[in-house]
Amino acid sequence: MTAHVENDTNALIALENEWSAGNYHPLDIVIDRGEGAWLYDVEGRRYLDFLSAYSAVSQGHCHPRIMETMREQASRVTLTSRAFRNDQFPLFCEELATFCGMESVLAMNTGAEAVETAIKAARRWGYRIKGIPDGAAEIIVCNNNFHGRTTTIVGFSSDASYRDGFGPFAPGFISVPFGDADAIRSAVTENTCAILVEPIQCEAGILIPPNGYLREISSICKEHNVLFLADEIQTGLGRTGKRFACDHEDVKPDAYILGKALSGGFYPVSAFVSRRDVMAVFDPGSHGSTYGGNPLGCAVARTALAVIEDEDLAARSAELGEWFLNELRQIQHPLIQEMRGRGLLIGVELKVAARPFCEALMNEGLLCKETHDRVVRFAPPLITSKEDLEWALTKVRQVFAKMTS
């Protein structure tokens, strides 16, 4: 019925606008396929991907090893639910826990589900282990956080647009300024069960806290018997030049919250990974997911993790990210407010709206997206070649050269 519009960008955009919910504001490009660091639209134009699906495609589009695993597993069995055991789940749990230096895994699907899992774990741990009175547990979070889109999570967001029209919201969250360890220390009470933090705030504009911030959080948590929950959904798995962003301060949280690149962009896989005593608060029936821990997702995630290790993507991100950020900082332009980053996670803050800049880059064959209105996020797949990054730099310079306001 609609086959005649398959290669027509404008017709496909019109069709999407007619039939889809309007909860996104994408750039007006229609992707048809991807390979490595490159994407192709329905009309055959090629673009370098500088977003990586918000870091979900760190291993590159359609990585052949992950693709082969997906095909092989899909031909065997894809879903059993956790009503029965499957052969991939225990191997996934062992490999992910070992990768994280942790002891136990609870598999889910999306990042938001993993965050919800962390919240449930922290509260039950607070009641059963720490002895907080029932219903009184508090979790400290940070202003400008982004942990997902569920009603619980947006309820403790400081962004009014995320909250507008979705209340009433769950109590039990105390928000403090990001990067201010003293504010966290002042907010801790006998009812605090956890501190939930992104080591780098990505959606807020690639905001990097002061050196020592994560170490101080860890110290506060140990001092007051509080769980340190690190949301590394976007920053983990090599993106910032280390296995985890917490590693830049040699900090081990009590639990990691993971997703995105955990499956290399092939399939929704997320996980809450923690010490065994924290995970022990869950018992049969207390939490679950029909798809969480399914054999297809587990097999894909195992290979996605292996690719990160075998191709040394964290070290690659560190080396190329440092070089790329240094090159970017050579660009002098009156509209540039600041450039900041760690590994191949870089934010270019402008003094004006970033959307026109992203649209101009798209027209030059470079795909990125604005975040927090005035920040351009550069986060290419970690497999991107230096030659492709050099090509991207020429496009960034060209666009800045044309920008006057």
Side-chain angles (χ1 to χ4, degrees):
M1 182 177 177
T2 58
H4 62 286
V5 306
E6 287 181 355
N7 297 317
D8 187 327
T9 297
N10 292 333
L12 286 166
I13 290 172
L15 200 64
E16 179 177 329
N17 290 341
E18 180 179 1
W19 294 100
S20 171
N23 58 320
Y24 278 93
H25 185 206
L27 294 177
D28 284 336
I29 178 177
V30 181
I31 302 301
D32 173 65
R33 62 187 179 91
E35 181 179 358
W38 293 86
L39 291 167
Y40 300 80
D41 72 9
V42 293
E43 297 178 22
R45 291 182 290 261
R46 189 171 83 143
Y47 303 83
L48 187 60
D49 183 1
F50 250 48
L51 184 63
S52 303
Y54 299 98
S55 297
V57 193
S58 289
Q59 299 89 335
H61 294 278
C62 300
H63 192 287
R65 281 182 62 188
I66 308 175
M67 175 68 76
E68 180 57 32
T69 294
M70 189 168 194
R71 285 173 174 158
E72 193 278 332
Q73 185 62 44
S75 71
R76 295 175 57 229
V77 63
T78 59
L79 180 63
T80 60
S81 83
R82 292 293 304 286
F84 314 114
R85 300 181 191 271
N86 71 75
D87 65 336
Q88 293 298 311
F89 178 66
L91 298 172
F92 164 72
C93 290
E94 179 188 28
E95 290 167 14
L96 180 58
T98 301
F99 184 95
C100 296
M102 290 290 184
E103 297 172 319
S104 194
V105 171
L106 199 161
M108 298 297 285
N109 309 286
T110 66
E113 287 177 292
V115 172
E116 289 277 1
T117 301
I119 291 169
K120 291 174 76 172
R123 284 175 169 172
R124 184 171 270 197
W125 178 89
Y127 299 133
R128 293 189 174 182
I129 307 302
K130 186 174 181 178
I132 297 171
D134 189 45
E138 296 176 342
I139 296 175
I140 297 174
V141 297
C142 293
N143 297 346
N144 299 315
N145 70 76
F146 183 85
H147 297 286
R149 300 282 192 177
T150 66
T151 51
T152 296
I153 294 170
V154 299
F156 59 80
S157 170
S158 58
D159 190 318
S161 67
Y162 295 160
R163 297 163 55 90
D164 184 25
F166 298 130
F169 300 113
F173 298 95
I174 309 300
S175 191
V176 300
F178 179 67
D180 187 342
D182 289 337
I184 288 179
R185 185 178 292 278
S186 297
V188 171
T189 72
E190 60 185 11
N191 292 331
T192 303
C193 63
I195 297 170
L196 171 61
V197 65
E198 303 155 273
I200 296 173
Q201 289 191 331
C202 298
E203 298 305 307
I206 320 299
L207 301 182
I208 302 174
N211 289 334
Y213 176 66
L214 300 177
R215 283 196 300 273
E216 187 65 19
I217 291 177
S218 180
S219 175
I220 292 168
C221 287
K222 288 180 173 64
E223 179 182 345
H224 294 279
N225 193 24
V226 169
L227 297 180
F228 179 6
L229 309 177
D231 181 344
E232 295 244 24
I233 292 169
Q234 292 196 49
T235 58
L237 308 179
R239 171 54 57 182
T240 68
K242 297 277 190 180
R243 184 172 288 190
F244 298 105
C246 286
D247 293 344
H248 289 281
E249 294 193 24
D250 295 320
V251 165
K252 175 63 70 66
D254 297 297
Y256 290 111
I257 304 168
L258 304 175
K260 302 291 187 188
L262 187 54
S263 68
F266 278 80
Y267 198 89
V269 179
S270 66
F272 175 70
V273 190
S274 73
R275 301 193 317 256
R276 186 166 284 111
D277 65 296
V278 175
M279 198 70 75
V281 301
F282 290 111
D283 43 40
S286 61
H287 193 50
S289 164
T290 299
Y291 275 82
N294 71 79
L296 181 59
C298 289
V300 165
R302 291 178 62 206
T303 302
L305 282 173
V307 168
I308 292 170
E309 283 291 275
D310 295 346
E311 299 187 15
D312 206 6
L313 294 186
R316 183 179 179 83
S317 177
E319 179 182 351
L320 292 177
E322 181 180 11
W323 172 82
F324 191 73
L325 182 57
N326 286 336
E327 291 294 315
L328 282 174
R329 284 175 170 159
Q330 305 307 310
I331 300 173
Q332 301 296 315
H333 195 283
L335 294 182
I336 296 175
Q337 179 72 34
E338 185 182 15
M339 294 183 181
R340 50 187 177 262
R342 187 159 284 167
L344 282 171
L345 178 63
I346 295 169
V348 179
E349 184 173 351
L350 305 178
K351 298 176 182 178
V352 294
R355 177 81 179 199
F357 184 77
C358 295
E359 292 171 340
L361 284 175
M362 179 187 72
N363 292 332
E364 294 292 335
L366 187 63
L367 292 180
C368 56
K369 192 70 165 59
E370 77 277 7
T371 182
H372 232 62
D373 296 330
R374 295 191 296 112
V375 179
V376 181
R377 182 203 315 239
F378 291 148
L382 306 186
I383 52 87
T384 307
S385 70
K386 188 173 183 180
E387 291 73 21
D388 285 343
L389 293 177
E390 289 170 341
W391 179 88
L393 276 169
T394 65
K395 299 304 179 182
V396 173
R397 293 187 184 109
Q398 287 172 15
V399 169
F400 270 119
K402 296 176 184 176
M403 288 182 66
T404 57
S405 62

